[in-house]
Amino acid sequence: MALLQISWAQGYASSAERTLFAAVNRERRAQGLPALRWDEALATAARLHAQRMAKEGAISHQLSGEPNLLTRATKAGARFTSLAENVDAAETATLVHRSFMNSAPHRANILDREMDSAGFGVAERRGQLFVVEDFSRAK
C-alpha cells in the first residue's frame, strides 16, 4: 500500500492530510502515473495557508496581505522547478477530493505528470475543512 512508502515527518501529517494524499496517489496510479512523494516543506506551507483560510473563513490562493504561493513555499524550505496549488473547503476530506476531481484545473494539478512531490495542509473551522494541496517538481 502506498502509505507504507511515505516517510511522514515525525507523524505530523493529520488524518485528513493522509486521506487526501492517498486519494491523490490512487487517482495518479489509475492513470498510469507515478505516486507523488510527500514533501514536508510543502506541507508546512500548505498548513500555514490552510490555517489562514480557516481563520478568515475564505478560500483563496492568496489572501490579503499574504505572500504568494511561490514565496510561501520557498520560505518553508521547498526546493522546486515548478509549483501548483489546489484550495477548497468542505465537511470532509472525501468531499474536498471529489470537488477537486470534478474541477478541470484542480484535476489537472493532481494528474500533472511533471509533478513528483506534494504537501497538503488541512485546518478546521466550524465543521468545515479548509484544504490546501501544494504540488511540485522537486529540484
Side-chain angles (χ1 to χ4, degrees):
M1 185 170 163
L3 286 177
L4 297 177
Q5 299 172 7
I6 300 166
S7 173
W8 299 107
Q10 289 85 42
Y12 293 144
S14 72
S15 173
E17 291 166 359
R18 289 190 303 268
T19 295
L20 288 161
F21 188 68
V24 162
N25 277 329
R26 274 194 309 275
E27 300 288 356
R28 290 179 62 85
R29 281 192 305 276
Q31 298 298 317
L33 299 170
L36 298 169
R37 292 184 304 270
W38 184 259
D39 183 313
E40 190 60 27
L42 285 178
T44 296
R47 287 181 190 122
L48 290 172
H49 186 57
Q51 291 166 3
R52 177 96 185 259
M53 289 192 322
K55 181 180 177 187
E56 295 189 20
I59 301 166
S60 177
H61 290 284
Q62 184 176 7
L63 296 161
S64 179
E66 182 183 43
N68 64 22
L69 171 60
L70 179 69
T71 302
R72 292 190 314 261
T74 301
K75 185 176 179 181
R79 295 180 41 85
F80 50 86
T81 58
S82 60
L83 197 58
E85 182 176 70
N86 289 346
V87 295
D88 201 356
E91 292 80 18
T92 68
T94 300
L95 288 174
V96 171
H97 180 70
R98 188 176 305 144
S99 173
F100 286 151
M101 292 307 293
N102 288 326
S103 161
H106 295 109
R107 180 183 177 89
N109 286 341
I110 289 168
L111 300 178
D112 186 338
R113 67 180 60 253
E114 297 301 315
M115 299 299 178
D116 60 18
S117 303
F120 298 169
V122 177
E124 189 273 336
R125 178 185 181 196
R126 297 185 185 142
Q128 290 274 30
L129 297 181
F130 288 79
V131 174
V132 177
E133 296 181 341
D134 287 344
F135 303 93
S136 77
R137 176 153 192 88
K139 276 188 180 179

